Every structure is written in C-alpha cells, then in structure tokens.
Amino acid sequence: MRTKNTEHEIDLIVERPDRKVVAIEIKLSDGVSDKDVRPLNWLHSQLGDRVVERVLVNTGPRAYRRDDGVAVVPLALLGP
C-alpha cells in the first residue's frame, strides 16, 4: 500500500473477511528503528482496532515485540 503522495508505504496488508487487517513491513537489515515501524503505526492510527497485528520482518537473530506493539520477526522463522 502506498498513499497518493507516497508519504506512507506498507509492503503487505492482509485483510480478513471481517475487514480486520494485518500490516507487514519487510526490511533487509537486522536492526529496527522507529523510522522502520512508522508506516505500521500510522496505519494503526488511521484504522484503529481494524489492525489486529503489525509485523516487521527483518534479518535479525530473534523475535520480539517492541514497546509500541509491533512484532519483530526474523525472516528465518517464517520457513525452511
């Protein structure tokens, strides 16, 4: 998803039949900054409870949840 003025971009948005969404951002780095999750948090501020999960997939060594609620998941955990 990309806004018309390209101010916000999110790599993947999965929408369920009940209109709830999971927003996924993909970064090819092992670190995560506030800037990396800004689009996910922006979408959450726009859609509220419709966003049931915000996920940042990266190349890092461990999975964890940030203080802002974004799940950070290493790509290696998603499959063989």
Side-chain angles (χ1 to χ4, degrees):
M1 182 216 72
R2 181 178 293 145
T3 57
K4 187 174 182 177
N5 62 3
T6 68
E7 183 178 349
H8 304 287
E9 177 190 346
I10 298 173
D11 294 321
L12 298 165
I13 296 178
V14 180
E15 185 174 16
R16 302 183 331 193
D18 64 0
R19 298 194 38 127
K20 300 285 187 177
V21 299
V22 174
I24 304 168
E25 186 70 21
I26 301 169
K27 296 293 179 188
L28 296 177
S29 66
D30 60 355
V32 177
S33 71
D34 290 342
K35 181 180 176 188
D36 294 334
V37 300
R38 191 174 297 143
L40 298 171
N41 291 331
W42 169 82
L43 185 68
H44 185 254
S45 74
Q46 298 300 302
L47 299 181
D49 291 342
R50 280 191 59 204
V51 180
V52 294
E53 191 64 78
R54 293 167 286 150
V55 181
L56 186 135
V57 177
N58 71 354
T59 60
R62 64 185 181 94
Y64 62 95
R65 188 165 301 272
R66 290 171 39 99
D67 290 338
D68 59 8
V70 175
V72 177
V73 180
L75 180 62
L77 289 180
L78 299 180

